[in-house]
Amino acid sequence: MASNGFVHGNPDHPHCLVVVFLRGGADGLNMIVPVEDDGYYRHRPTISIGKKSTMALDSLFGLNSELGALYPLYQEGDLAIVHGVGSEDETRSHFEAQDLMEHAGPSAGGWLGRYLRTAPRVIGGPLASICIGATQPESLRGAPASVVMESIQTLSLGEGAEGFMDGLAGLYRAEEEGIGRAGHSMLTALRKITELQHTPYVPAAGAIYSGDDFGHGMREVAQLLKARVGVEAVALDLHGWDSHIASFALMNPLMRSLGDSLRAFRTDLGPQMAHTTVVVMTEFGRRVYENASFGTDHGRGSAMMVMGGGVCGGRVHHAWKPLEDAYLEGPGDVPVTTNYRDVLASVFSRHGGLSSFESVFPGFAVAPVALYG
Amino acid sequence: MKWPRRRFLQSAGSVALLATAGCELPQALGVVGPAKAARGPLTAPDGDEVDEIAHVLGRLSHGPRPGDYHRVREMGVDAYIEEQLHPESIDDAWGDYRVRRFESLRQPVGELFEYQEHLLLKELSEATVVRAVYSERQLYEVMAGFWTDHFNIDSSKGDCPWLKTADDREVIRRHALGRFSDLLRASALSPAMLWYLDGRSNRRSSPDEQPNENYARELLELHTLGVHGGYTQADIMELARCLTGWHVRTEELFKKGKVEFKPDAHDQGEKAVLGEVIPAGLGEADLDRVLAIVTRHPATANYVAEKLCRKFIADTPPPAAVRAVADTFQTTEGGIRATLKTLFAHEEFRAARGAKMKRPLHYLASALRVSDADSSVGEPVMEYLLRMGHAPFQYPTPDGYPDEAGPWMGTLLWRWHFAKALDENRLGGTQVNWAALREAAGGDEVFMRHVLGRRPRPDEARSYLACNNSPAVLLASPAFQRY
C-alpha cells in the first residue's frame, strides 16, 4: 500500500479487482467442457454436455451455452480461462478448501487483505475494499479497512446524518495534512454515495443484469466504480454450486446468472473495463465420474476466469491430460495443473505493481500465468 | 461427541447466567461484584492546548474516564506514572471482576484443547477490550498490547487457536512490565510461538536435514536486533541450528501443547552467532546462550527503544529520546519498568502532545471510557474492530499491527459510525447515560473539555452546537482520533 495510505482526491483511473467466488465447488468440466475428450463422455454418460450444446473455445474446449453470454467477450479477447486450477489442499472439504484458498495457505490472513496492504500501486483510501454481502470474506481478512455492505442503500451514517457530516466537514477541513485529508476524502465519498442512494440507477448501454442477488450485487459494484469513490478491491459470492444431485437443475440457473451478469457488467462499465479486472474462482472442482443421483462429488481441479483489465483473452490456458484413469488425481479428479495463486499473481503484478509475491503468498514459489501475452 | 465434560460445564454456566437474567445486567454486577473504584468529580482540563496531566493520562492509558483528570491532578503526574508502573500495587477488583466470565482465560494449556477454537478467540479478544476499557492497570494493558504486537501470533495457524490464550497469559501478560530477557525466553518456549513461526519443525536429526529458519529470522528481525541490526544470513542459519530440537506435543490429551526438548533432533555441533562461539554439545543450553547474546546486543536496546518511543512519543521517534531509553534498557539489562521510567521522564515525551493517532481498539476503548459507558463488549463492539482491520490476535504476519497513523487513515468511516451509535445508544450491550455525564460536568462547556482534553476551538464548539450538542461530533472529530 502507498505509504501515506489514504486518498489524495480520487485518482482518475485506480485499478479495481473484483473477485467473484463461486461457493460450493463449481464443476469446471460442465462449464468449460472438454468436448474432444472421450474420457469426459465415458465418465459422465448422463450429465455430460454434448458438443452441440457448447460454443467452440479452441480445439479441445467448448463453452457451455448456459454461459453463452460470455462467448462474445471471449471472441473479442476480453476473457481468459484457465483450466485445471485449484489449490494444494486435498481434503475436498468446502470449509477447509475455501479457508485455505482465501488465506492462501495455513499462515492465515487473507490474500486480498495482504495485497491491499503491500501492493505499491494500491492507494488504500477509505473505500478501498468493499465486500457485497453480510460478512467480511476471509480473503479480505487483514485488509487495512473494509466496508461490508448488503447494498449501497445500507452504506450511510443513518438518519439525520447530513448535519453530522456538515459538522465533521468543518472540523476535518481545518486540517491540511494526514487525518484532515483522509476525513475530507471519506466525506466526499460518502456524499457521492448519498447521491447514488437518491438517484435511480440506469446501467449504461442497455446492460441487463440477472435479477438475482448476484446480478444486483454486480450492478451495485458497477455503480460504485462509475462513481469513482476509490474502490480498489471488491469481493462478492455466488453461492450454491455444490451439485451432488441433479447438476443440470442446479447449475444451469447459476451459469446463466454468472454469464449474464458478467456480460452486463462489462457493457455497463464500458471503457472503464480497461482498468477493472474480474476474477472468477471456486474452492475446488468436481469428480470426473458422475454419481448415481446425476450429480458429482467433491473433486480437485476446476476453472478460473479473468475478464477485463487488458487481459489477453480468447484463450484457455491449460496443461490438459486426457481424462483417463491413469491421469486422474485421487478418487478420479481433474488434476490441479495450475495453482490459483499463479493466476492471481499475474493480475497482481500487472495492476498492483507487485514484483515479489512472498508478502501476499508466503512460502509459495509463484509462477504467474501469462495472462497478458 | 468428544468433550462431554466441557459441554456440561458450559451449560451449567448458562444456567447460572439465566438465573441472573431477571435483573438488569449492570446493576446485577454491581450487587454481586466488588465496588467500583471511587473516582473524583468530573473536572476537565482547561488549557487551550493539551496540558501535561491530560497528555500523560492519554499516553499511559486508553483515555481518561470522568474523574481521572481530577485524580491525577490531585496526586501529581509523577506519582501517577509511578503508580501505573507498579500494576501489582493497584487494586483492580472491578476490572478483574468484569473478565471473570471468560472462563477459558484461566485454563491450563492442556485444558484449552477442550474448547472450540472460535470460543477461545472470542473470549480472549473480548477480554482484551474489556480490560482496555475497565482495568485500573491501564499502562499494564497498554504494554500488554505493545508486546502482543511485538511478539505477534496470528491465532489461526495450526494449534495457535488453542495455544494463544496461554501465550497471552504466560508470556505477554506475565512479563509485560518485567524483564525483556524473561519475556523473550518465555516467547521462545511458548507453544503458540513454536507453532506460529515453525520452531517446532526446526530439527536436525541428521546432517542432511536442513533447519527451519523461520523463527530464527523473525527473532532477529522483529523481536530483538531489528532488520538493520547488523546480522547476516549466516547468523540466521547458525541461530536456527542453536534452536533445533524444541518440540510441542500434539499427541496426548493432557500433555498436548507441552514443550519438550528432543536431544536427538538438536544440532549438537559448534555454532557461531553474531561473532560469539557456542561450543559443541551444549544441547538445550544453546537456547539460553543465544538469547543472552541477542538480548545484550546494543542493536536490541536500540530497536526496542525506538519502538517504545514510536508508541509513546511520535511516529518518527526523536533520536535523543531513543538514545536515552536505549541506554536504560542496556544498563538495566532489559528492565522494562526502568526503561519506561526513563521514557516518561524524557522532555521529548512530555512535549509531544496530542499528535499520535489512536488505533481502532484504542479509539473504541477511549470512547467507552470518556463516556463512562456500561458495556458488555460483545459482538457489536468486536464487529467494529473487524471492519476496521484491528481484531485482536488476528494480524496475519509476524510484524504485528502497525503503530503509525498512515495505515489506519481508512478507518474513519467506522469510527464515525461508532460515535453516532454510542451517542444514540444504539450499540448492542452498551449503555451511556449522557444526561448524567453532562450534569456531572455541570454543562456543555466542561463536557466538551472533558471529551477533547482541552478547550474546544471555535470550529469545534460551532460544530457541536450545530449538531444539537451531540457528543457524536466530538467523538468523531479529528481531535478525538488523537492522543
Side-chain angles (χ1 to χ4, degrees):
Chain A
M1 193 173 69
S3 60
N4 44 9
F6 56 89
V7 175
H8 301 271
N10 288 311
D12 289 338
H13 296 305
H15 183 265
C16 183
L17 172 62
V18 180
V19 179
V20 175
F21 206 104
L22 310 180
R23 306 260 166 200
D27 182 13
L29 282 179
N30 275 15
M31 298 166 79
I32 312 301
V33 186
V35 290
E36 302 300 337
D37 188 327
D38 294 342
Y40 169 70
Y41 290 103
R42 227 177 19 255
H43 293 313
R44 294 190 171 185
T46 325
I47 64 157
S48 53
I49 308 298
K51 191 173 175 181
K52 282 194 207 129
S53 305
T54 66
M55 296 152 153
L57 293 170
D58 60 15
S59 58
L60 176 57
F61 297 103
L63 181 71
N64 188 324
S65 54
E66 299 291 338
L67 286 166
L70 297 177
Y71 197 58
L73 281 63
Y74 183 85
Q75 285 179 308
E76 289 161 29
D78 209 18
L79 176 75
I81 296 167
V82 190
H83 221 324
V85 189
S87 71
E88 61 282 16
D89 175 61
E90 293 180 7
T91 64
R92 295 173 176 79
S93 136
H94 293 297
F95 176 75
E96 287 280 311
Q98 287 182 20
D99 215 48
L100 281 169
M101 188 175 272
E102 290 184 83
H103 292 160
S107 58
W111 51 263
L112 198 47
R114 290 196 294 263
Y115 167 72
L116 287 166
R117 274 199 198 269
T118 56
R121 276 189 222 134
V122 167
I123 297 152
L127 295 179
S129 58
I130 298 258
C131 158
I132 309 281
T135 54
Q136 190 190 48
E138 287 297 305
S139 60
L140 266 173
R141 203 150 73 83
S146 64
V147 175
V148 181
M149 59 179 205
E150 306 267 16
S151 76
I152 291 175
Q153 294 301 333
T154 61
L155 184 69
S156 74
L157 289 168
E159 288 300 306
E162 290 75 19
F164 180 55
M165 282 166 64
D166 288 343
L168 290 182
L171 299 180
Y172 281 86
R173 202 184 307 122
E175 304 198 17
E176 307 251 308
E177 292 301 313
I179 201 169
R181 244 191 238 192
H184 181 71
S185 80
M186 185 66 238
L187 286 164
T188 309
L190 272 177
R191 291 233 156 78
K192 283 187 184 173
I193 282 162
T194 313
E195 264 172 53
L196 298 183
Q197 287 170 337
H198 292 111
T199 326
Y201 180 61
V202 183
I208 299 171
Y209 292 88
S210 60
D212 55 358
D213 283 354
F214 179 68
H216 185 74
M218 287 303 285
R219 199 182 118 118
E220 299 235 310
V221 174
Q223 201 181 351
L224 279 172
L225 294 190
K226 282 159 62 176
R228 300 194 192 283
V229 289
V231 176
E232 298 181 85
V234 179
L236 75 172
D237 294 341
L238 181 50
H239 289 272
W241 295 86
D242 198 12
S243 51
H244 289 281
I245 54 169
S247 68
F248 289 135
L250 196 123
M251 284 181 67
N252 288 356
L254 290 175
M255 283 193 276
R256 283 196 295 274
S257 170
L258 179 66
D260 292 354
S261 296
L262 289 188
R263 178 166 168 175
F265 183 78
R266 176 174 176 262
T267 307
D268 195 0
L269 278 192
Q272 222 179 313
M273 205 60 218
H275 1 267
T276 307
T277 302
V278 180
V279 171
V280 181
M281 62 197 295
T282 186
E283 70 265 34
F284 48 62
R286 318 291 301 186
R287 189 76 30 86
V288 177
Y289 306 85
E290 67 183 46
N291 64 24
S293 30
F294 312 116
T296 51
D297 296 306
H298 298 182
R300 296 276 285 123
S302 188
M304 265 176 93
M305 296 190 234
V306 178
M307 174 176 93
V311 72
C312 289
R315 186 173 164 200
V316 184
H317 299 259
H318 65 85
W320 203 255
K321 293 260 173 62
L323 297 175
E324 306 293 346
D325 290 349
Y327 299 118
L328 298 185
E329 199 177 311
D333 298 332
V334 178
V336 172
T337 46
T338 303
N339 190 284
Y340 68 98
R341 297 179 185 85
D342 294 330
V343 180
L344 294 171
S346 185
V347 177
F348 288 169
S349 70
R350 170 97 174 180
H351 295 291
L354 268 191
S355 48
S356 153
F357 300 97
E358 184 55 28
S359 57
V360 182
F361 300 126
F364 184 83
V366 170
V369 174
L371 292 174
Y372 300 95
Chain B
M1 264 318 283
K2 242 170 155 182
W3 318 119
R5 189 172 78 89
R6 177 63 52 205
R7 288 206 149 186
F8 171 74
L9 287 176
Q10 276 166 2
S11 47
S14 20
V15 171
L17 257 182
L18 278 176
T20 57
C23 15
E24 295 274 297
L25 190 61
Q27 277 84 348
L29 286 176
V31 171
V32 295
K36 252 173 148 171
R39 271 179 269 139
L42 202 170
T43 28
D46 69 350
D48 287 328
E49 300 298 331
V50 175
D51 66 22
E52 189 174 53
I53 300 166
H55 170 61
V56 170
L57 244 174
R59 293 281 162 107
L60 269 65
S61 76
H62 292 93
R65 295 164 305 182
D68 283 345
Y69 184 82
H70 176 84
R71 192 173 80 89
V72 177
R73 198 174 60 181
E74 293 294 302
M75 73 193 291
V77 165
D78 294 321
Y80 172 70
I81 292 172
E82 204 52 33
E83 172 203 272
Q84 288 295 316
L85 282 170
H86 294 90
E88 68 286 353
S89 70
I90 302 172
D91 177 9
D92 197 18
W94 177 248
D96 289 343
Y97 183 72
R98 295 204 74 133
V99 295
R100 204 189 291 168
R101 67 183 152 110
F102 303 115
E103 176 201 328
S104 65
L105 303 188
R106 300 183 294 276
Q107 302 302 322
V109 176
E111 297 275 316
L112 288 171
F113 287 94
E114 297 199 12
Y115 286 81
Q116 289 178 327
E117 54 189 282
H118 76 268
L119 185 76
L120 290 174
L121 179 61
K122 181 177 147 64
E123 294 209 333
L124 186 58
S125 327
E126 289 184 10
T128 301
V129 181
V130 168
R131 285 163 168 156
V133 177
Y134 291 111
S135 175
E136 300 289 333
R137 299 166 181 146
Q138 281 288 304
L139 176 62
Y140 174 66
E141 295 302 330
V142 168
M143 286 307 294
F146 176 84
W147 295 121
T148 299
D149 283 319
H150 188 85
F151 294 102
N152 185 56
I153 290 174
D154 179 333
S155 70
S156 61
K157 182 174 178 180
D159 277 358
C160 295
W162 293 275
L163 297 169
K164 178 60 203 177
T165 295
D167 180 88
D168 186 61
R169 180 182 59 216
E170 286 158 29
V171 180
I172 304 297
R173 299 183 68 80
R174 175 164 300 165
H175 301 289
L177 285 174
R179 225 167 241 306
F180 182 78
S181 51
D182 295 337
L183 176 60
L184 183 67
R185 186 174 199 279
S187 171
L189 293 180
S190 165
M193 187 58 88
L194 284 161
W195 264 97
Y196 181 53
L197 292 178
D198 304 320
R200 58 185 279 276
S201 315
N202 180 21
R203 42 185 299 123
R204 197 175 200 191
S205 312
S206 67
D208 39 298
E209 218 173 353
Q210 284 306 311
N212 184 316
E213 292 169 15
N214 197 4
Y215 177 68
R217 176 181 304 280
E218 305 306 7
L219 176 65
L220 294 178
E221 180 178 329
L222 298 173
H223 299 170
T224 57
L225 277 68
V227 69
H228 304 299
Y231 57 90
T232 63
Q233 173 60 25
D235 288 319
I236 294 174
M237 292 165 78
E238 290 289 281
L239 178 57
R241 289 179 60 211
C242 295
L243 299 171
T244 45
W246 292 95
H247 169 77
V248 186
R249 279 179 93 123
T250 52
E251 54 285 338
E252 269 176 68
L253 186 53
F254 287 103
K255 284 189 180 166
K256 196 170 174 183
K258 189 179 189 305
V259 174
E260 292 167 334
F261 180 73
K262 299 211 156 178
D264 295 347
H266 183 71
D267 183 332
Q268 294 286 5
E270 182 186 282
K271 302 109 181 164
V273 175
L274 295 164
E276 296 194 38
V277 173
I278 291 107
L282 289 187
E284 65 182 296
D286 275 7
L287 175 76
D288 286 318
R289 286 294 281 267
V290 291
L291 290 186
I293 293 169
V294 296
T295 304
R296 60 168 193 263
H297 197 286
T300 299
N302 192 62
Y303 177 66
V304 174
E306 196 176 281
K307 279 190 82 170
L308 285 170
C309 291
R310 182 173 300 117
K311 162 74 197 139
F312 286 104
I313 301 178
D315 284 1
T316 308
V322 175
R323 271 195 303 277
V325 172
D327 276 353
T328 305
F329 185 94
Q330 193 76 1
T331 50
T332 60
E333 294 178 342
I336 298 167
R337 216 183 295 260
T339 302
L340 285 176
K341 203 169 169 171
T342 298
L343 198 166
F344 297 147
H346 202 276
E347 58 187 12
E348 298 269 16
F349 167 74
R350 301 281 170 121
R353 297 182 192 172
K356 283 281 295 178
M357 180 151 166
K358 293 172 186 170
R359 302 196 298 176
L361 191 154
H362 185 164
Y363 172 73
L364 298 188
S366 67
L368 293 169
R369 285 172 66 79
V370 84
S371 61
D372 207 20
D374 199 318
S375 177
S376 60
V377 184
E379 211 56 36
V381 172
M382 303 314 284
E383 186 68 24
Y384 274 99
L385 282 177
L386 194 66
R387 300 228 167 144
M388 290 194 275
H390 199 200
F393 317 110
Q394 296 194 41
Y395 191 75
T397 47
D399 48 339
Y401 283 111
D403 197 64
E404 303 90 324
W408 303 109
M409 288 294 183
T411 59
L412 287 173
L413 174 64
W414 297 110
R415 295 174 189 233
W416 299 346
H417 261 282
F418 184 84
K420 221 159 163 287
L422 195 65
D423 179 353
E424 294 161 11
N425 266 314
R426 283 189 288 108
L427 190 66
T430 302
Q431 271 296 316
V432 177
N433 190 341
W434 293 107
L437 199 58
R438 271 207 193 82
E439 200 185 304
D444 282 320
E445 160 67 16
V446 178
F447 177 74
M448 281 192 278
R449 286 194 266 128
H450 166 61
V451 177
L452 296 172
R454 56 163 167 71
R455 287 181 177 280
R457 301 195 208 289
D459 55 332
E460 288 164 335
R462 235 184 352 259
S463 286
Y464 177 69
L465 293 174
C467 291
N468 303 317
N469 305 13
S470 128
V473 80
L474 299 179
L475 298 177
S477 71
F480 196 75
Q481 310 313 310
R482 292 191 288 246
Y483 66 112

